[in-house]
């Protein structure tokens, strides 16, 4: 299972960005916990959720490093994992992939929630800490249900390692055909 230059570049890029994301979100987490005032408690809760979600997404992305391989003759797209999860097996790779995918979605919901919170602050209206926690819990619950369904779908439609390896030669010409 030799990695080609595209896989190696994807690994370096994804893992580098993931480590940067882990570092930056760890610093933000520390700042939220040590520097937040009571006046911003509700907004700090939103930021805390964003930070934890982005931290989990960064770790999951570093573990999975996902590549897609399409076979045009069969209209099939295979998912190829080249990250650290490959040492534990495809189950763990799918789990990391779903966590990364769903965490980006969750992060977007929290960014929208933060926007609404700031907008209401401008209008001199506030969201209580209790409502913030309820909304955050609802976002996490909704995305957990969605992630569970997505994970089950991926596992039900997963192919064998032989299928993935057979598809591997098909994606390199697609990647490099117009650029060489």
């Amino acid at each position: 299972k030799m990695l080609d230059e595209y896989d190696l570049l994807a690994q370096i890029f994804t893992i580098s960005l993931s480590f940067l994301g882990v570092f930056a979100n760890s610093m933000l987490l520390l700042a939220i916990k040590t520097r937040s005032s009571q006046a911003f408690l509700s907004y700090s809760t939103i930021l805390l959720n964003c930070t934890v979600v982005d931290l989990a997404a960064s770790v999951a992305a570093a573990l999975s490093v996902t590549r897609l391989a399409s076979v045009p003759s069969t209209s099939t797209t295979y998912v190829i994992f080249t990250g650290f999860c490959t040492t534990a097996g495809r189950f763990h790779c799918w789990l990391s992939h779903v966590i990364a995918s769903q965490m980006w979605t969750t992060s977007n919901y929290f960014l929208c929630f933060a926007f609404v919170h700031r907008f209401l602050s401008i209008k001199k209206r506030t969201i209580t800490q209790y409502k913030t926690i309820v909304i955050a819990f609802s976002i996490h619950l909704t995305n957990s249900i969605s992630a569970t369904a997505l994970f089950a779908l991926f596992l039900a439609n997963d192919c064998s390692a032989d299928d993935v390896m057979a598809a591997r030669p098909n994606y390199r010409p697609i990647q490099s055909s117009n650029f060489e």
Side-chain angles (χ1 to χ4, degrees):
K1 292 184 180 180
M2 194 88 154
L3 297 178
D4 64 17
E5 63 271 11
Y6 297 113
D7 291 328
L8 189 58
L9 187 61
Q11 280 186 333
I12 291 168
F13 183 74
T14 302
I15 292 169
S16 298
L17 281 181
S18 294
F19 280 128
L20 179 64
V22 167
F23 175 75
N25 281 295
S26 297
M27 292 295 102
L28 183 57
L29 188 62
L30 183 65
I32 291 168
K33 290 310 255 178
T34 59
R35 306 277 180 168
S36 291
S37 67
Q38 283 298 108
F40 293 106
L41 188 61
S42 179
Y43 192 71
S44 293
T45 301
I46 298 169
L47 282 178
L48 181 67
N49 276 280
C50 278
T51 303
V52 170
V53 163
D54 288 346
L55 193 59
S58 294
V59 170
L63 291 174
S64 62
V65 187
T66 307
R67 296 286 307 253
L68 300 178
S70 296
V71 181
S73 61
T74 62
S75 298
T76 305
T77 301
Y78 294 98
V79 178
I80 298 173
F81 298 106
T82 61
F84 300 118
C85 68
T86 56
T87 59
R90 283 185 69 78
F91 177 87
H92 293 91
C93 288
W94 280 121
L95 184 61
S96 295
H97 180 64
V98 166
I99 289 171
S101 299
Q102 285 304 115
M103 290 298 117
W104 299 131
T105 304
T106 304
S107 182
N108 286 330
Y109 288 143
F110 275 108
L111 287 174
C112 290
F113 183 30
F115 173 77
V116 169
H117 190 281
R118 290 190 307 264
F119 180 75
L120 290 175
S121 295
I122 292 170
K123 296 289 186 180
K124 305 290 188 231
R125 299 177 68 196
T126 60
I127 299 176
T128 64
Q129 177 68 4
Y130 176 77
K131 287 180 183 176
T132 302
I133 291 171
V134 169
I135 292 170
F137 178 78
S138 300
I139 291 171
H140 286 299
L141 180 65
T142 304
N143 280 298
S144 295
I145 292 168
S146 177
T148 303
L150 187 62
F151 185 61
L153 180 69
F154 282 153
L155 287 182
N157 292 304
D158 196 14
C159 54
S160 71
D162 292 336
D163 292 335
V164 172
M165 293 315 291
R168 244 183 115 74
N170 291 304
Y171 80 89
R172 184 175 170 151
I174 293 170
Q175 292 291 330
S176 62
S177 62
N178 296 327
F179 301 106
E180 292 184 344

